[in-house]
Amino acid sequence: MTDGLLTLFLLILLNLPFWSVFLCLYICLYIISNYALDTHHPSSLILSLAAQAIRGEDITVKSYKVESRITSRFAHTTVRSSVVNSGSKAQSIGFNVQIPKRAFITNFTMNVNGITFVGSVKEKTVARNLYAQARSRGKAAAIVRANSQDMETFKTEVHVPPGSHIEFELHYQEMMHRRLGFYEHSLYLQPGRLVPQFQVDVYIFEPKGITMVQTPSTLGEQFAEMISLTQSKDKAHIVFKPNLQQQRKCDNCTGSAIDGVFTVTYDVNRDSNAGELQVSDGHFVQFFAPSNLSPLPKNIVFVIDVSGSMWGVKMKQTVEAMQAILDDLTIDDHFSIIDFNHNVRCWNEELVPGSSIQIADAKKYIQNIKPNGGTNINEALMRAIQMLLRASNQGLIDPRSVSMIILVSDGDPTVGEIKLSTIQKNVKRVMREEFSLFSLGIGFDVDYDFLERIAMENRGMAQRIYANHDAAEQLRMFYSQVSSPLLRRITIQFPEDSVSDVTQNRFDKYFSGSELVVAGKVLPSDSNTLTSFTTASAVSIFNTSRLDMTLETEADTTELDTELAKQQHSFTGFARQMWAYITIKQLLSERSLAPTAVKKRKITQRIMSLAVEHQFVTPLTALLVESEGATERLLADSPRDPKHGCCSGCRRRTRRRLIDQWSGSSPRCLPASTMVCNKLSVSHPVDNDPHFIIHLPRSNMDVCFNIDSKPGHILNLVSDSGTGVVVNGQLIGSKQMHKNKLNTYFGTISVYYQPDGVSVTASTVGIAVTDGRNNHSFTWGATSEITQDGVRISIVKNSHVSITINNDIQVMVLLHRVWKKNPVSVDFLGIYIANDNRYSPLVHGLIGTVNDIHEGVDPLKKEAIMEVKGNRLHVTRGWQKDYRQDKKRGSNVYCWFVHNSGKGFIDGHYTDYIVPELNSFLQTL
């Protein structure tokens, strides 16, 4: 059938009565499918889909091996196969490999009876011209983008005489994307026959360590026991090596049961919320995936296409998905639903809270939708944006919340504004900077390029939903990825003149379970350290910030390369290739949004230059496979993503119109002038109970006392109801008794600021910040700065954290680590209160109880009598440790020591300062 006849057939099709359309489409698909099977036709490589990795009659597949090397989330995969023509006649033998759509092919080699064909990536026009000069006879290659999920197929075919031996080898690379808390690596295995040497190896190396590796039974339960996993702290090796008998569909079968996806999922260790910075081969990669943060509230408008073309399975799956999605909403979320065909309807004209009553009503509304009519995308999106604008302007939504529109459609507009570029401009013109648009395209009639452009231009993303039995699950999975926003306005920056060619480093949102990645080149420097600074916020740009963070990460620029050189199965060039991969992907997106032809040409040239340099087959480059001496050549182009079904000549919009129409208490008061305990040091030598070092400025002396309490007790250190500040410390015990005594230390320090409801709790594990509704956790592993209302928290990596309240009160908590195998001691905390803190007259606690010391203590004597508030105390002179300057050894402080847990020096007994909770104020003594 010629192209002209096919076009004529389609023109006839579009003029047939409605009842004849589906019959003719069936005939069209039947003819094309049979036409695709004609292997003698030059277009057959484009039309047919690969059912087997190796195709041919009377052939022997000696080996089929797949190896993936994943280093720091970047994978290099190699597929090798050795085949012999065992038949008595010459025949065509095919090699087909299904690869992820996000991957770039980097090379292909083929050895035919000792003649080697080697691939190289060139600009498309250059490759095509060279191919035209020396086309190979009896050999062909192509890359086919199939109408299926996340997959395209590399295909090659060679016509060889009997007894010929052929070896195929394909290489491709991809970056692992983190979704829902893990990375997923998929290998498509379809040998099509029994293979004596069949093996899959996946090597993972993650410098920071691996927390989890799993091999889901996606290939079939019968193969689950045949997969072996070896794992260490930072490496994993997964092997799948079934023998011939294990490959059989049944005991006596000659066919292979291996037909599907081999999946490996894993996640990495993250010792801080600041992220992970890696430097290798002159390039850097910064990974940012914070956890232990409270999700921000959401405002969502669901915009659902209910035109006639959604009738049937599409609508049923959409309704099923929406039922589950609505159940995920919380009372803090706000939402509404807009459904559209040729008209636009709103379930509710305003955003409403996600209460159980509203959700139940929305479910009923969704259930009763009957698809019919045309498609008015422009008007539906305008209504959705106006709904968000109205709610924002009227102050009906939480200023910290995230606002988004989720569009679900299966086709092009047929009613109202139908020009896609105009719709794109309309949406961009009215969308606020804090709103995002996410597009979901169902099936293949939809113009996916348009949905992708309109989403990317409005701080969102697009995804194709395949109209099959699990479309509802695909919709739910997509929603799960965007349902928990944690941060807004994230920026990852580096010191000036330290890096260049940085990929996108500003991101509108960070969603739980995902990961932000920034890469670039490292400039020559005298320093071996590269530092990154990540800033983020959890509020709207039109409101006062309630939570701001600055996180600092460092990396040695030589350490990782040294480590990679020791690894047998690592991918040493990962950082360089990952930078190029991310850059090209971003440039391809920019190219689709280029406002002018000149801009588009400049982006095109850069993409081609990078793709050729790094050997990536992209939509703008091709793989030229040449024999020795370039006497024979094969050409494989990367295809464009198909926007529409099988018939590229169909008038898409006209056809869609046809389908649309057819389907129709008060603490003790102390005068501020008598406050002498302005400087407190609660530090801990390894072999002592919590001790206080109090500097008395007027007499210029230091007074020390211990508190002999029990593990688990919470001691009040500062309680100031006037300023609303309380500082408490909880005790922990040593591992065992020492000299018949169990030493105690501070294991947790809490600073609570009541007016804003903000609590900062430092432990030896990390620092937690909460405002009563939201909880955020940070580790000691990174330098960070967080601002929550009037409270500023500054963390210095593995050293200390400073908490400053309204610039009036400052508390510093020091982290003390001990040798892990120490038989007695444990990690503990020290606390230091600033000298110039401005408390109210109501301040009390262990540091606010001394208001009178009689003059005349002789600093030269070892023992003395100290007069405190009429009490005569026997004190001794001795040394204590202050760890602020020297955290490991401490500096000696010569002080007067008050015995018996400070009796007479503090008001009352020390047990009067035990409180029930970390945020409890001290009751009146």
Side-chain angles (χ1 to χ4, degrees):
M1 180 185 290
T2 65
D3 292 342
L5 286 174
L6 181 59
T7 304
L8 178 61
F9 181 85
L10 294 171
L11 289 172
I12 294 171
L13 172 68
L14 293 171
N15 288 280
L16 286 173
F18 301 144
W19 60 267
S20 303
V21 169
F22 299 98
L23 175 62
C24 292
L25 283 173
Y26 175 82
I27 296 170
C28 171
L29 291 169
Y30 177 81
I31 293 172
I32 290 174
S33 63
N34 282 277
Y35 178 68
L37 295 175
D38 179 8
T39 56
H40 298 290
H41 195 282
S43 300
S44 64
L45 288 169
I46 303 299
L47 291 171
S48 61
L49 294 180
Q52 301 177 356
I54 310 296
R55 291 187 296 107
E57 300 294 333
D58 295 327
I59 63 172
T60 300
V61 181
K62 298 174 65 178
S63 66
Y64 191 87
K65 298 182 178 182
V66 183
E67 180 184 282
S68 286
R69 299 188 179 195
I70 305 174
T71 299
S72 297
R73 292 81 139 176
F74 198 74
H76 181 114
T77 300
T78 305
V79 183
R80 299 181 180 92
S81 186
S82 178
V83 185
V84 174
N85 180 4
S86 306
S88 58
K89 298 179 182 179
Q91 65 167 315
S92 294
I93 297 176
F95 175 69
N96 310 315
V97 180
Q98 297 181 33
I99 67 174
K101 284 183 180 178
R102 64 173 179 249
F104 287 142
I105 291 173
T106 56
N107 204 353
F108 172 71
T109 61
M110 181 171 64
N111 187 294
V112 183
N113 295 325
I115 301 174
T116 302
F117 291 76
V118 180
S120 62
V121 178
K122 300 184 183 298
E123 293 181 18
K124 245 177 192 178
T125 53
V126 174
R128 285 172 177 170
N129 289 335
L130 290 170
Y131 172 63
Q133 295 171 19
R135 292 188 181 184
S136 176
R137 293 186 179 184
K139 303 177 186 68
I143 302 168
V144 179
R145 178 148 290 165
N147 290 355
S148 58
Q149 289 179 244
D150 307 321
M151 178 196 68
E152 66 186 24
T153 304
F154 173 86
K155 309 181 69 173
T156 188
E157 193 172 280
V158 55
H159 194 79
V160 294
S164 296
H165 186 280
I166 310 102
E167 293 179 352
F168 302 100
E169 185 173 307
L170 179 71
H171 299 255
Y172 63 89
Q173 297 176 0
E174 60 181 315
M175 185 176 82
M176 302 289 96
H177 292 269
R178 188 169 185 258
R179 292 188 176 94
L180 304 178
F182 58 85
Y183 308 94
E184 183 174 285
H185 184 56
S186 298
L187 299 170
Y188 299 87
L189 306 178
Q190 296 174 302
R193 62 195 69 234
L194 302 177
V195 182
Q197 299 179 45
F198 184 95
Q199 185 166 341
V200 177
D201 290 279
V202 178
Y203 299 95
I204 305 174
F205 174 62
E206 290 289 347
K208 286 292 184 180
I210 301 170
T211 58
M212 174 275 291
V213 183
Q214 293 179 350
T215 54
S217 302
T218 51
L219 200 59
E221 290 294 339
Q222 70 270 37
F223 296 116
E225 299 299 320
M226 302 175 200
I227 301 172
S228 67
L229 167 63
T230 305
Q231 183 181 351
S232 64
K233 177 186 175 182
D234 54 6
K235 293 187 288 290
H237 180 203
I238 300 94
V239 183
F240 176 52
K241 190 179 179 181
N243 58 37
L244 279 172
Q245 188 61 33
Q246 291 170 330
Q247 294 175 40
R248 298 179 191 275
K249 288 183 178 179
C250 62
D251 289 344
N252 299 319
C253 294
T254 58
S256 175
I258 301 174
D259 184 3
V261 181
F262 181 84
T263 305
V264 176
T265 62
Y266 78 97
D267 201 17
V268 302
N269 181 51
R270 293 174 179 83
D271 57 9
S272 80
N273 272 345
E276 180 181 348
L277 180 60
Q278 299 183 7
V279 181
S280 175
D281 194 22
H283 293 74
F284 75 86
V285 184
Q286 168 84 48
F287 302 98
F288 184 65
S291 58
N292 300 319
L293 301 173
S294 292
L296 301 174
K298 306 180 293 294
N299 313 301
I300 309 179
V301 182
F302 298 99
V303 182
I304 304 172
D305 184 345
V306 297
S307 61
S309 59
M310 286 287 289
W311 183 83
V313 175
K314 291 181 183 177
M315 197 69 241
K316 180 182 178 182
Q317 297 275 15
T318 301
V319 170
E320 182 184 333
M322 283 300 301
Q323 301 280 337
I325 289 170
L326 289 170
D327 280 334
D328 184 70
L329 296 174
T330 71
I331 193 65
D332 291 327
D333 297 324
H334 289 72
F335 77 104
S336 190
I337 300 167
I338 293 175
D339 60 296
F340 69 97
N341 43 33
H342 51 282
N343 294 318
V344 177
R345 298 189 309 164
C346 298
W347 163 69
N348 196 308
E349 293 288 343
E350 307 294 338
L351 292 176
V352 298
S355 66
S356 57
I357 295 174
Q358 299 287 9
I359 289 171
D361 188 60
K363 284 183 174 181
K364 289 179 183 177
Y365 181 84
I366 290 286
Q367 195 71 47
N368 293 325
I369 288 175
K370 305 297 181 187
N372 66 85
T375 308
N376 193 346
I377 292 180
N378 186 76
E379 182 61 26
L381 289 175
M382 293 300 104
R383 291 279 288 275
I385 298 169
Q386 290 301 322
M387 192 179 290
L388 289 177
L389 286 170
R390 199 160 53 245
S392 179
N393 292 338
Q394 294 174 2
L396 300 177
I397 56 179
D398 193 319
R400 300 172 302 116
S401 61
V402 170
S403 299
M404 62 180 80
I405 296 168
I406 298 181
L407 168 66
V408 181
S409 181
D410 76 330
D412 291 343
T414 61
V415 178
E417 180 58 65
I418 62 173
K419 192 175 180 182
L420 299 181
S421 60
T422 302
I423 297 174
Q424 188 175 335
K425 290 176 183 176
N426 290 344
V427 172
K428 184 174 176 59
R429 186 183 72 252
V430 296
M431 279 281 278
R432 272 192 183 169
E433 189 176 338
E434 74 266 34
F435 299 166
S436 295
L437 171 61
F438 297 90
S439 303
L440 297 169
I442 300 182
F444 287 90
D445 287 330
V446 66
D447 191 322
Y448 184 72
D449 280 358
F450 164 68
L451 292 183
E452 192 171 45
R453 284 197 306 272
I454 201 171
M456 288 191 304
E457 199 168 41
N458 294 284
R459 297 158 297 282
M461 61 182 176
Q463 181 168 314
R464 190 189 291 282
I465 303 298
Y466 300 88
N468 54 28
H469 66 281
D470 72 339
E473 181 61 22
Q474 295 175 55
L475 286 164
R476 286 195 295 267
M477 288 291 286
F478 176 85
Y479 175 76
S480 296
Q481 294 177 46
V482 300
S483 63
S484 294
L486 300 184
L487 292 173
R488 296 203 52 199
R489 293 162 35 218
I490 304 98
T491 303
I492 300 175
Q493 295 176 302
F494 299 83
E496 190 176 358
D497 299 327
S498 65
V499 297
S500 68
D501 298 279
V502 179
T503 59
Q504 178 187 349
N505 67 333
R506 297 178 186 273
F507 305 90
D508 185 62
K509 299 175 185 67
Y510 168 74
F511 295 99
S512 177
S514 66
E515 185 170 61
L516 304 179
V517 184
V518 177
K521 297 179 179 180
V522 180
L523 295 176
S525 171
D526 295 334
S527 173
N528 286 337
T529 301
L530 179 65
T531 306
S532 70
F533 301 93
T534 302
T535 59
S537 175
V539 297
S540 167
I541 60 174
F542 290 98
N543 295 274
T544 302
S545 293
R546 291 195 62 192
L547 176 66
D548 291 311
M549 307 184 193
T550 301
L551 312 170
E552 182 181 329
T553 311
E554 290 183 346
D556 189 296
T557 58
T558 60
E559 187 176 43
L560 183 53
D561 281 334
T562 303
E563 185 61 33
L564 287 171
K566 301 175 186 176
Q567 304 300 324
Q568 185 179 356
H569 298 288
S570 66
F571 178 29
T572 54
F574 86 91
R576 179 176 180 271
Q577 291 298 96
M578 183 180 280
W579 168 77
Y581 178 97
I582 298 171
T583 302
I584 291 172
K585 290 288 186 180
Q586 292 178 358
L587 287 171
L588 287 169
S589 297
E590 288 177 26
R591 185 175 181 269
S592 69
L593 298 172
T596 65
V598 174
K599 179 74 172 176
K600 190 171 186 176
R601 280 196 297 270
K602 288 182 178 179
I603 297 173
T604 299
Q605 287 300 319
R606 191 170 177 218
I607 292 172
M608 290 192 296
S609 176
L610 279 173
V612 171
E613 180 185 352
H614 294 267
Q615 292 291 283
F616 286 146
V617 179
T618 71
L620 302 174
T621 52
L623 183 67
L624 186 69
V625 186
E626 302 177 284
S627 64
E628 296 174 7
T631 56
E632 290 187 279
R633 294 188 175 115
L634 293 79
L635 181 67
D637 281 357
S638 180
R640 296 184 64 186
D641 192 29
K643 303 176 188 176
H644 328 295
C646 61
C647 311
S648 61
C650 295
R651 295 179 181 177
R652 179 179 71 257
R653 193 165 292 137
T654 305
R655 177 175 174 270
R656 179 172 173 79
R657 285 200 187 103
L658 291 175
I659 297 174
D660 284 345
Q661 292 170 20
W662 181 85
S663 316
S665 90
S666 125
R668 180 175 176 180
C669 297
L670 289 177
S673 59
T674 62
M675 287 284 299
V676 296
C677 303
N678 292 329
K679 181 178 181 181
L680 166 71
S681 163
V682 186
S683 57
H684 306 64
V686 170
D687 60 349
N688 210 349
D689 291 307
H691 66 257
F692 297 73
I693 305 174
I694 299 179
H695 181 69
L696 310 176
R698 288 187 298 180
S699 55
N700 193 26
M701 69 170 68
D702 293 305
V703 177
C704 305
F705 63 94
N706 284 356
I707 293 295
D708 186 16
S709 193
K710 298 178 181 178
H713 281 174
I714 301 172
L715 299 178
N716 175 252
L717 307 178
V718 177
S719 182
D720 187 359
S721 59
T723 59
V725 174
V726 62
V727 183
N728 293 323
Q730 187 169 32
L731 302 178
I732 56 174
S734 56
K735 296 175 183 176
Q736 59 183 346
M737 296 184 73
H738 180 63
K739 296 181 180 179
N740 297 320
K741 184 175 182 293
L742 185 69
N743 293 324
T744 54
Y745 315 86
F746 277 124
T748 303
I749 301 292
S750 173
V751 180
Y752 176 51
Y753 183 48
Q754 191 179 48
D756 287 345
V758 177
S759 174
V760 182
T761 304
S763 71
T764 57
V765 175
I767 299 96
V769 182
T770 180
D771 63 0
R773 295 177 61 188
N774 303 288
N775 303 301
H776 311 287
S777 298
F778 304 87
T779 72
W780 287 101
T783 296
S784 312
E785 184 160 313
I786 306 99
T787 302
Q788 178 88 38
D789 294 332
V791 181
R792 186 174 72 252
I793 305 108
S794 300
I795 305 169
V796 176
K797 182 179 179 180
N798 295 325
S799 177
H800 65 271
V801 56
S802 296
I803 301 103
T804 306
I805 301 173
N806 291 333
N807 294 321
D808 291 332
I809 297 173
Q810 186 179 57
V811 179
M812 183 170 70
V813 180
L814 266 70
L815 173 67
H816 296 273
R817 297 284 192 205
V818 300
W819 182 44
K820 289 184 178 180
K821 295 183 180 181
N822 189 305
V824 177
S825 300
V826 292
D827 292 346
F828 59 90
L829 302 175
I831 178 171
Y832 296 85
I833 308 294
N835 201 28
D836 54 354
N837 280 350
R838 293 193 287 271
Y839 301 109
S840 80
L842 302 179
V843 70
H844 207 67
L846 283 172
I847 74 157
T849 58
V850 183
N851 62 356
D852 182 28
I853 290 184
H854 191 273
E855 299 290 341
V857 175
D858 188 347
L860 299 179
K861 293 182 178 180
K862 296 292 183 181
E863 298 183 10
I865 299 297
M866 178 184 289
E867 241 184 80
V868 182
K869 291 176 288 188
N871 297 320
R872 293 172 61 83
L873 306 178
H874 180 264
V875 294
T876 56
R877 193 77 160 155
W879 296 99
Q880 290 287 10
K881 292 285 188 181
D882 184 334
Y883 288 93
R884 283 171 297 176
Q885 303 302 321
D886 187 339
K887 205 177 67 150
K888 288 186 177 181
R889 293 177 295 273
S891 56
N892 289 322
V893 175
Y894 206 40
C895 66
W896 290 104
F897 191 81
V898 181
H899 301 271
N900 299 320
S901 294
K903 184 178 180 180
F905 187 73
I906 61 175
D907 284 346
H909 193 267
Y910 83 88
T911 55
D912 298 330
Y913 298 88
I914 298 175
V915 293
E917 305 290 341
L918 280 171
N919 288 345
S920 297
F921 281 82
L922 187 66
Q923 300 301 307
T924 304
L925 295 179

